[in-house]
Amino acid sequence: MKVLEAQTALLSNYEVYQHIVDTYKTDNAKKRRIPGNLAMMVTEVLGYLRTAPSPLAKQDETGAYSPEALPRLIERLSEENFGSELTKAELLMIFNLRPSNNAVLSTTIEDMIERFTEEEQARLVEVFTEVLGSNPPDPVEAAEDESAIPSIENGQ
Amino acid sequence: MFMLTKLADLVQIAPQDFSKESAKAIEDNINAKYANRVIHKIGLCVCLWDITWTSEGLVSSGNGYANVNVEFRMVVFRPFKNEVIQARILSQTQEGISVATDFFYDIFVPKSELPDGAEFEAKEGVWIWKVDGAALYYDNHELVRVRVISEEWHDQAPQEPLALEDQPASELLSPYKIIGSMNVPGLGCTIWWDD
């Protein structure tokens, strides 16, 4: 074995998720035997990416993330004049974690308090929610909602 | 937390695999060798991303294996420094908290990287963060956000059989270990911070 290039690119969680689903979880691919160590690895990685609050938790149902999501996020940020404010690493973390409030946002952006005012932070969170969606309400609330209004989606 | 690494290797396809498409045979070979393995100073391999180049297959005399030189890219788990990742609490000791993702278990948050006011409750074996009069528990199996602050590599070089016998199994160091931090707002148990 020879390492030609230690790091050719960074991948977002979504890209890894999509690659695994496309390569190993389509009906055609399931018919084929794959090495045991690989089968275990892809199952565990998928399980990890599907654990809420990971934004990919309900990806199969909602399709919140798509190949256009990241370009769209960058476009929306520049529309809001945040174009060059965030570094690539910060954007990648935001794309992977989808912060829904200031506390979580502050972990993904270095020195956030000095770089953004509170109003700007709120606008950032708004943009992320708009482009990437948000976490579904927790199961207890969801159950109450369902009993109130019969859901067509779940009762198919 | 994932990246692509470009590698080159010699792939040997066994005669019983000649019925497979060449590309599939090479893919299976690479995955069987690398998936769920740590490469020293590179990271934990997840799966093959794509094959970028292959040589012609050469059949070796004696065993009939087809030898192919392949260049390919692997998906590798290696969070960058200061990256925040989601993980789950595995176990806790006086020294700190061990956390894990579903596929990687060697992440450790030392007590110095827990927030001020964190105390270890020896009786229950859990860490508690006492803040503003409230006690927040770091329960096992709880989901947390962790910032990666450093990594440790231990080359798993083969050892002499004698030396191996003298050494208890627990002293074998994991090949790749991540040191994490949970000492700023937003890190620690996810339920504390999510609305």
Side-chain angles (χ1 to χ4, degrees), chain B residues 76-148:
Chain B
V76 172
F77 169 75
R78 191 194 187 175
F80 52 83
K81 194 173 177 324
N82 286 331
E83 178 164 10
V84 174
I85 62 171
Q86 181 181 319
R88 208 179 271 281
I89 295 179
L90 199 65
S91 64
Q92 315 184 32
T93 66
Q94 191 100 46
E95 298 306 311
I97 301 178
S98 291
V99 299
T101 67
D102 296 41
F103 53 91
F104 184 79
Y105 296 141
D106 295 311
I107 308 174
F108 186 69
V109 181
K111 60 182 174 191
S112 57
E113 294 296 339
L114 293 172
D116 290 338
E119 287 169 25
F120 186 64
E121 182 76 55
K123 206 161 51 179
E124 293 176 63
V126 295
W127 280 86
I128 302 169
W129 182 29
K130 291 184 175 143
V131 60
D132 301 336
L136 298 169
Y137 284 73
Y138 290 94
D139 287 318
N140 286 345
H141 308 297
E142 194 74 64
L143 281 165
V144 290
R145 286 193 192 87
V146 179
R147 182 189 300 283
V148 173

Side-chain angles (χ1 to χ4, degrees), chain A residues 15-101:
Chain A
E15 287 168 292
V16 173
Y17 175 90
Q18 204 55 48
H19 176 74
I20 291 177
V21 169
D22 290 347
T23 319
Y24 306 108
K25 300 291 168 184
T26 56
D27 289 340
N28 240 342
K30 277 186 189 163
K31 288 185 199 139
R32 215 166 72 81
R33 275 184 67 91
I34 56 171
N37 56 330
L38 174 69
M40 190 173 126
M41 195 66 194
V42 296
T43 308
E44 286 177 348
V45 171
L46 270 192
Y48 169 75
L49 294 175
R50 280 177 178 155
T51 307
S54 161
L56 297 169
K58 298 254 185 276
Q59 172 69 11
D60 286 349
E61 294 140 52
T62 63
Y65 279 57
S66 66
E68 293 83 38
L70 193 53
R72 170 108 186 93
L73 180 65
I74 294 166
E75 192 189 305
R76 280 291 290 132
L77 285 172
S78 58
E79 279 171 26
E80 296 278 336
N81 294 325
F82 295 120
S84 50
E85 303 275 333
L86 296 166
T87 65
K88 204 173 141 190
E90 287 166 347
L91 262 177
L92 181 64
M93 273 194 270
I94 286 165
F95 193 62
N96 285 343
L97 295 171
R98 191 172 64 189
S100 57
N101 59 45

Side-chain angles (χ1 to χ4, degrees), chain A residues 1-2 4-9 11 13 19 24 32 35 37-38 41 44 48 51-52 54 93 101 103-104 107, chain B residues 1-9 28 31-32 34-36 48-49 84 86 88 102 143 147 185 193 195:
Chain A
M1 181 204 78
K2 204 167 94 187
L4 298 178
E5 214 175 325
Q7 185 183 315
T8 59
L11 292 175
N13 289 0
H19 176 74
Y24 306 108
R32 215 166 72 81
N37 56 330
L38 174 69
M41 195 66 194
E44 286 177 348
Y48 169 75
T51 307
S54 161
M93 273 194 270
N101 59 45
V104 182
T107 64
Chain B
M1 58 197 286
F2 297 103
M3 61 171 198
L4 283 181
T5 295
K6 197 168 182 188
L7 302 169
D9 204 352
D28 284 352
N31 277 326
Y34 289 98
N36 213 356
L48 179 76
W49 181 261
V84 174
Q86 181 181 319
R88 208 179 271 281
D102 296 41
L143 281 165
R147 182 189 300 283
W193 306 105
D195 351 81

